[in-house]
Each structure stands twice: as C-alpha cells, then as structure tokens.
C-alpha cells in the first residue's frame, strides 16, 4: 500500500479521542446533507414526471383550435390529416358550465366527448371510473369524486346544468346601452350521474366533468335543429330533431401521437396541412409550468449543496486539529525524505474518506426515506395533528418521488469533491511545515 494512503487511513481512524468524535460528526453531517439532496431531487423529479404524466392523461399530446372564431366547423378534415400522419384525433367541446343541485351552484369546466369515437380510449376516462360506468348517452354526465362530494350526489342522482350561452340570452341590451331582462323563460337541463371518476390530479378532478358531445352542442347552440317549438324545449326533445346526429362543429380537436415527448416534427407536418388552424403541443400549452419545475429543481440542487459545503468546513476544522496534533510526525516524515506533495495527499485522502463514507450512508438514508416517504408523512401527520401533504395544495393524492441514477452520480461527485477540497487548507499547512521546526514543537 502507498505510504500516503496508509498514513491517511491511520490518521482517519485514530484511537478514541476528540478528533475521532469530530470525524464521526463530519461523516454524519455529510450523510445528512447527501440524504437531503437525494430526497429533495427525487421529490422534484417525481413532481415533474408525475405532472407531465397527468398533463398528458388529462388533456392530449396536442390540440387543434380555430385560428378565427370559436369553433371548428369541419373537424373531420383535421382528424383525417392527423390520421394520415399516424396519430389519433377526436373532436370535443370545452367550455364553462354551471351545475345546480338544490340551492347549491358550482361553476365547472366541461369536456364533451363522443363515447363511441374510436379515439376516446386515448383519454383514459373509462379507466379512471371509480364508481358507476362509462356511459354518456343523452342527458348523462360523468363527474369526479370531488364534485360528487361538493354537490352531495351519487350514481343515479340528477344534476341541473346551466349553459352560459343560454344564460346570456336572458339579458339583452337596449338602444341606450343598458342591460335589461329578455323575453321568454329559460330552464336548465337535467342530467343523470352515470359515473364518478378520479385522475388522481386534484385540480383536474375538482373542476372537470364529462358529457356527451351532442349534449354539449345542444347546450352551446352549436347543432343544427330542424324546428324548435319554443325556447323552453329540452335537450331530450331537441335531440329527436337534430338534422346531423353525431356530426357538427367542435371547439377543440384532441390529438394523440406515438411519442408525446417528440412532437416537433409531427407538429410541423400537421401545421403545414392545416394552415387555417392552430396546432399546439402539450409542452407548449404547459410551457410555463414545465419551465418552473425545471428551474425549481436546479435551484434546489444549488441551494442544498450548501449543506454539504458546511460539512466540508467541518472536515477542514477536523483536519486542522489533526495537523496540529501530528506536527512532530509530519516533521519526522519530511526529515526522512517525504515530499510536500506526499504530505498534502495524506490529508486530502482523509477528506476523501470522510466524503466517500458520508456520501455512501447518505445515499442509503435518502433512498430509505424516498421508499417509505408516505409512512414518514403519515407518522408526522399523527404526531403533529396536521396534514403534511394536503392534496388540495400539492395537486396529487400522494407525494411523488423518482430517483434518477444520474442525479445520484451528480450528488455523489459534488459531495466527494467538496469534502476532498475541505482537506486542502490543512494539507497546505502540513506541506509547508519546516521539518526542524516541526520536530522541536511541543
């Protein structure tokens, strides 16, 4: 074994004294710093990955919207263009509606889909049903467990749905520019709850419900009706007079591709075929959120490195004490021919040992915390009496975490390098010792 490596290991584990205790504390400090880095980066990566997954599950890989106006009059043409490029597409209507149950009113976001469309399976609505069934016939509605709880409804219950288009017709503007009540009455439509879903994404579950595409077209006055008897006719009555059932305009066309993470080429080709429509990928629609997550992870890494840096200063203090205690031994080594570089390496190796051992234990500790994170959060909830990870705030039903091997390599490299450099000042001090003066020291 090399002399510098042998002496470094010998000094690293001296007989039990103050230096050995300080060394142990330094190792613990490095381990805790590395563990915190592992946990935080795993959680940030988990948040980012889970957010991307849920964004794709709850929307689509891309959306086609009208460049002008509020609807796409001929969605079939755009769908055929998508299919020629190897993708799948489905027309939909998205917009606000108002739910009523007794005297309880809730503004929500509607997504209208055709349950018989061949692309509907891409949306994963059917797989997300937790109660009831996936059924969207006329006057049927699928809501989330959050909305069901807010309204106090269950499978088979009735909900009144107010259309903003029809509500707007209750008010008109006179010649003076003043608002006044319009003639006629308006009745909301009654829908039956057939399914209760959960996408495990709280903000989506809280705000979104699903109805049939023809229902939405009638609610938004987007379907051609042959003859309406009066303004109070219901959807059920109007459905029999639809001149083109299953067809009609859409506000959005949802698009799915083979690889949602490589959309540039697909978007360019689709945009060239549909010059009068807008094509936006899910990354573009959520660019600000994804950018914030990426920056947040990098900032967390930068800030938490200071925890390991503090442990490196602890190593510096420990090794300075060691240099003072070993002054005569260092002088003797230099007197018998040891070079200054050899003496420097002895103390740099000690910093390396502390960094390596502390990093190893830190990686293990961090991995254990990530693996049993929900148990830890439940324990803290019981002890503190507070919800540590409220889904209303953090969107997801559980704390996501994903350990990336490259992150572990980065953390390990940073910790070991900082700890090794922590021995640089003591190493320089030892290397500059004069042999004669060191041997005369008390």
């Amino acid at each position: 074994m090399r002399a510098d490596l042998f002496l470094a290991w010998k000094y690293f584990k001296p007989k039990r004294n103050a230096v050995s205790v300080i060394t142990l504390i330094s190792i613990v400090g490095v381990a805790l710093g590395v563990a915190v880095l592992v946990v935080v980066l795993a959680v940030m990566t988990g948040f980012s990955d889970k957010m991307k997954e849920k964004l794709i599950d709850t929307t689509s890989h891309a959306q086609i919207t009208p460049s002008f106006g509020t609807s796409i009059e001929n969605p079939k043409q755009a769908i055929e263009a998508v299919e020629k490029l190897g993708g799948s597409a489905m027309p939909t209507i998205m917009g606000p509606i108002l739910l009523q149950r007794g005297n309880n009113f809730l503004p929500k976001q509607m997504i209208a889909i055709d349950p018989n469309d061949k692309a509907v399976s891409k949306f994963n609505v059917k797989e997300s049903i937790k109660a009831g069934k996936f059924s969207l016939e006329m006057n049927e509605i699928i809501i989330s467990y959050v909305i069901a709880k807010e309204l106090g409804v269950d499978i088979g219950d009735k909900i009144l749905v107010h259309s903003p288009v029809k509500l707007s017709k209750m008010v008109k503007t006179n010649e003076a520019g003043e608002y006044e009540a319009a003639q006629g009455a308006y009745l909301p439509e009654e829908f039956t709850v057939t399914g209760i879903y959960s996408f495990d994404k709280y903000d989506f579950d809280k705000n979104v419900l699903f109805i049939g595409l023809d229902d939405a077209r009638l609610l938004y006055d987007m379907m051609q009706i042959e003859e309406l008897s009066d303004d109070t006719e219901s959807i059920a009555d109007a459905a029999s007079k639809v001149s083109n059932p299953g067809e009609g305009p859409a506000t959005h066309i949802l698009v799915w591709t083979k690889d949602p993470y490589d959309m540039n080429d697909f978007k360019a080709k689709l945009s060239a075929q549909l010059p009068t429509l807008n094509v936006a990928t899910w990354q573009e629609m959520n660019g600000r959120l994804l950018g914030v997550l990426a920056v947040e992870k990098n900032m967390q890494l930068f800030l938490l490195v200071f925890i390991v840096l503090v442990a490196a200063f602890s190593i510096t203090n420990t090794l300075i004490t060691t240099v003072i205690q070993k002054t005569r031994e260092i002088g003797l080594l230099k007197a018998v021919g040891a070079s200054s570089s050899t003496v420097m390496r002895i103390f740099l190796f000690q910093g390396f040992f502390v960094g390596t051992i502390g990093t190893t234990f830190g990686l293990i500790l961090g991995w254990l915390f990530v693996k049993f994170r929900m148990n830890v959060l439940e324990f803290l909830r019981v002890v503190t009496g507070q919800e540590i990870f409220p889904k209303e705030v953090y969107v997801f039903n559980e704390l996501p975490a994903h350990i990336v091997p490259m992150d572990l390599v980065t953390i390990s490299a940073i910790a070991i390098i900082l700890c090794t450099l922590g021995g640089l000042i003591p190493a320089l001090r030892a290397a500059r010792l004069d042999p004669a003066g060191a041997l005369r020291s008390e």
Side-chain angles (χ1 to χ4, degrees), residues 138-139 166 189 191 215 218-219 233-240:
M138 296 299 295
N139 290 92
K166 295 187 177 181
E189 301 300 332
F191 282 73
D215 279 335
L218 290 166
L219 278 172
E233 188 170 17
S234 68
I235 285 181
D237 296 329
S240 61

Side-chain angles (χ1 to χ4, degrees), residues 52-310:
K52 292 176 182 178
E53 176 188 331
K54 292 301 179 183
L55 286 174
I56 293 173
D57 285 347
T58 55
T59 54
S60 57
H61 301 170
Q63 288 186 9
I64 302 173
T65 54
S67 298
F68 306 99
T70 59
S71 64
I72 302 171
E73 296 302 321
N74 185 18
K76 188 176 181 180
Q77 179 182 357
I79 293 172
E80 289 175 350
V82 172
E83 292 175 345
K84 286 181 181 178
L85 294 174
S88 301
M90 175 180 75
T92 184
I93 294 175
M94 298 184 187
I97 57 174
L98 184 65
L99 300 183
Q100 179 182 356
R101 172 74 170 178
N103 293 324
N104 192 7
F105 291 83
L106 293 177
K108 297 297 177 183
Q109 186 74 11
M110 167 198 72
I111 297 180
I113 58 178
D114 181 357
N116 299 315
D117 195 297
K118 60 183 179 181
V120 75
S121 59
K122 300 288 186 179
F123 210 152
N124 296 325
V125 179
K126 187 175 182 179
E127 291 75 14
S128 301
I129 299 294
K130 305 302 181 183
K133 60 182 179 179
F134 178 66
S135 177
L136 288 175
E137 300 300 326
M138 296 299 295
N139 290 92
E140 290 185 343
I141 189 170
I142 295 175
I143 62 176
S144 72
Y145 73 100
V146 181
I147 298 175
K149 185 177 180 181
E150 289 177 331
L151 290 175
V153 299
D154 204 345
I155 302 299
D157 289 341
K158 306 288 186 180
I159 298 176
L160 295 180
V161 176
H162 295 267
S163 164
V165 173
K166 295 187 177 181
L167 282 173
S168 65
K169 295 180 180 180
M170 299 292 293
V171 179
K172 67 178 182 179
T173 306
N174 59 25
E175 295 180 355
E178 299 173 338
Y179 292 107
E180 60 182 29
Q183 295 289 331
Y186 161 73
L187 290 176
E189 301 300 332
E190 188 176 63
F191 282 73
T192 303
V193 178
T194 57
I196 296 176
Y197 78 89
S198 173
F199 272 97
D200 291 330
K201 188 172 183 289
Y202 185 80
D203 59 336
F204 184 88
D205 292 345
K206 180 177 175 61
N207 293 295
V208 177
L209 55 86
F210 297 92
I211 66 173
L213 192 55
D214 284 343
D215 279 335
R217 285 169 176 155
L218 290 166
L219 278 172
Y220 273 67
D221 284 346
M222 297 172 67
M223 184 171 280
Q224 203 173 25
I225 308 297
E226 291 178 355
E227 288 183 4
L228 293 179
S229 58
D230 52 50
D231 293 336
T232 65
E233 188 170 17
S234 68
I235 285 181
D237 296 329
S240 61
K241 298 183 180 181
V242 173
S243 59
N244 55 345
E247 297 182 9
T251 60
H252 300 70
I253 296 176
L254 306 184
V255 178
W256 290 270
T257 63
K258 295 179 180 179
D259 185 3
Y261 297 98
D262 185 15
M263 298 286 296
N264 293 332
D265 185 56
F266 181 90
K267 179 193 172 181
K269 292 179 179 178
L270 185 60
S271 297
Q273 295 188 34
L274 303 173
T276 60
L277 299 175
N278 291 324
V279 180
T281 65
W282 68 274
Q283 294 104 323
E284 292 171 337
M285 292 185 290
N286 301 283
R288 181 174 296 181
L289 174 61
L290 297 176
V292 168
L293 290 175
V295 172
E296 185 80 12
K297 179 179 178 180
N298 293 333
M299 285 302 299
Q300 291 285 356
L301 174 62
F302 174 76
L303 294 175
L304 292 173
V305 163
F306 283 93
I307 298 177
V308 180
L309 189 60
V310 171

Side-chain angles (χ1 to χ4, degrees), residues 39 42-44 46-47 50 369-370 373-374 377 388-389 394 396-402:
V39 172
V43 170
M44 291 304 301
F47 259 104
K50 195 74 172 178
F369 187 93
V370 170
R373 61 190 182 278
M374 297 310 298
L377 291 178
I388 305 299
F389 188 77
Y394 294 101
F396 302 118
N397 292 341
E398 66 175 16
L399 178 65
H402 178 208

Side-chain angles (χ1 to χ4, degrees), residues 360-386:
T360 301
F361 281 109
L363 292 177
I364 296 172
L365 183 62
W367 176 80
L368 288 173
F369 187 93
V370 170
K371 182 175 179 61
F372 299 103
R373 61 190 182 278
M374 297 310 298
N375 303 82
V376 174
L377 291 178
E378 178 61 22
F379 172 77
L380 293 175
R381 186 189 67 80
V382 173
V383 171
T384 62
Q386 296 182 347

